[in-house]
Amino acid sequence: MLMQSVSVQGSSTWNEDALILNEALHIYGVADGATSLVPYHGPQGETGGRMASQLVQRYFGQLTAGDERNLMQMTCEANRLLGAEMQAAGVPLEAKDQLWTTGVAAVRVTEHSVEYIQSGDCMIVALYEDDSVRVLTRDHVAHMDEGAKQIWREAVRQGVRTREELWERIRHRMTGNRASMNTRDGYAVLNGRPEAKHFMEYGIINRIRLKGLLLHTDGLYVPSSFNPEDDSQTTVKAVAEKPAVGEETLLRQIIEMGLEAYTHWLVAEEQRDPDCVRYPRFKMSDDKSAMWLDFC
């Protein structure tokens, strides 16, 4: 098996993504941290999202050969340690707007199967020998983001043209989104609280004719374009409503261009729209991390 990876910092101060790698246990993955709405800064000024994704990266990286726990058990332990680290830093676990959080998508590859775990908007996509694509995971955050993006698009239509003003329009919506983490009406994420275990997705697939696996954070998506003069776009649907189409397109673009080339092309596109007006999104450039596992 060959492995390619990329992790590119976006327009924020810290790269809140992390690559997960433990070759002794054949564990590979990505984590996507999210900054708490109440600002937190670590010993070197790190954000809470950076602290969360780095903890998950360190935890999986230090596991030793012979560990017989499954990925669900391992990830639950990483979540518990995240909670303990927040408590040690004085972050109250009952205050969701202060929590350090991270999504995760990880696999453990064996001779005959692939075990996977997922939470948040990190994704896992399989490619088979017949060129068919299978999406193993679901973006649990997209439906929350889409409501905020509708407000963003309407503000652009009304003439707002700076990212700072646009962000103020959605701030209240983002606060409400955080309150619904790890609930049946919200989204799944590692946040140090015990209920996170009920919302992780876990499974095993066989390796029959499996050609490759793509694991990625949501920064790899090409944002949907938006024309504020076009009234027909007031109800633009989220890509997540057709996940197989969006993920298949992304996978094929990455295979055609190469992982690094695709990532740098996307960053250049985003930089052409610094105020996030043409492509409605919450920051000029999100962090971008991915792994491509080639079984050929």
Side-chain angles (χ1 to χ4, degrees):
M1 184 189 79
L2 299 176
M3 187 272 289
Q4 300 176 42
S5 66
V6 65
S7 187
V8 175
Q9 183 175 337
S11 52
S12 298
T13 305
W14 292 91
N15 185 350
E16 294 181 322
D17 282 1
L19 297 173
I20 296 168
L21 177 62
N22 185 317
E23 294 189 297
L25 287 171
H26 308 290
I27 294 175
Y28 309 88
V30 294
D32 183 356
T35 299
S36 54
L37 294 179
V38 176
Y40 175 87
H41 298 288
Q44 276 76 52
E46 309 97 318
T47 60
R50 169 80 175 184
M51 299 282 282
S53 63
Q54 292 294 305
L55 181 146
V56 170
Q57 179 189 59
R58 290 194 307 272
Y59 171 77
F60 278 104
Q62 57 82 38
L63 297 175
T64 57
D67 195 322
E68 296 182 353
R69 292 174 300 166
N70 62 40
L71 278 182
M72 173 64 82
Q73 293 168 324
M74 292 175 178
T75 308
C76 284
E77 176 62 7
N79 184 64
R80 186 193 69 79
L81 292 172
L82 176 59
E85 189 159 320
M86 280 189 283
Q87 287 180 312
V91 176
L93 295 187
E94 65 275 9
K96 287 189 173 181
D97 59 347
Q98 296 187 44
L99 298 181
W100 315 341
T101 66
T102 185
V104 65
V107 298
R108 178 160 56 179
V109 180
T110 70
E111 182 179 359
H112 302 295
S113 64
V114 175
E115 180 187 12
Y116 68 90
I117 189 83
Q118 185 260 0
S119 186
D121 51 11
C122 298
M123 295 292 286
I124 307 172
V125 190
L127 178 68
Y128 286 86
E129 294 287 352
D130 63 358
D131 209 35
S132 62
V133 173
R134 176 182 181 183
V135 182
L136 299 185
T137 52
R138 176 178 173 81
D139 182 342
H140 300 286
V141 183
H143 72 105
M144 308 294 292
D145 284 349
E146 179 58 16
K149 286 181 180 178
Q150 286 284 42
I151 298 172
W152 192 287
R153 284 190 286 263
E154 184 57 33
V156 171
R157 194 182 303 281
Q158 293 171 3
V160 179
R161 288 295 183 271
T162 68
R163 201 187 76 83
E164 291 75 16
E165 291 179 273
L166 290 165
W167 180 256
E168 285 302 317
R169 296 289 186 100
I170 66 165
R171 186 180 297 277
H172 70 285
R173 182 62 179 257
M174 301 303 283
T175 301
N177 287 355
R178 292 298 175 93
S180 65
M181 65 175 73
N182 293 327
T183 68
R184 288 178 59 186
D185 294 321
Y187 63 100
V189 72
L190 303 190
N191 66 354
R193 291 167 56 113
E195 64 267 21
K197 67 182 179 182
H198 300 304
F199 297 94
M200 299 180 202
E201 297 208 331
Y202 170 78
I204 299 175
I205 63 170
N206 64 50
R207 286 185 56 182
I208 296 173
R209 296 181 60 78
L210 182 62
K211 185 176 182 179
L213 287 171
L214 174 68
L215 300 91
H216 71 89
T217 63
D218 68 321
L220 270 287
Y221 293 122
V222 177
S224 300
S225 61
F226 173 66
N227 177 3
E229 306 303 321
D230 183 357
D231 290 336
S232 68
Q233 295 197 25
T234 54
T235 57
V236 177
K237 293 185 178 180
V239 172
E241 291 189 50
K242 294 183 178 180
V245 174
E247 292 298 326
E248 181 171 349
T249 299
L250 173 63
L251 175 61
R252 297 197 188 285
Q253 285 178 313
I254 287 174
I255 290 174
E256 179 181 349
M257 297 177 67
L259 187 54
E260 286 200 19
Y262 170 84
T263 303
H264 292 298
W265 165 80
L266 180 55
V267 170
E269 284 294 300
E270 292 170 332
Q271 289 174 343
R272 294 170 57 191
D273 178 37
D275 284 316
C276 309
V277 173
R278 180 185 175 194
Y279 299 112
R281 57 203 192 281
F282 304 136
K283 60 182 73 171
M284 184 182 74
S285 186
D286 199 2
D287 304 323
K288 297 167 174 52
S289 297
M291 280 189 174
W292 168 247
L293 307 181
D294 190 338
F295 297 112
C296 295

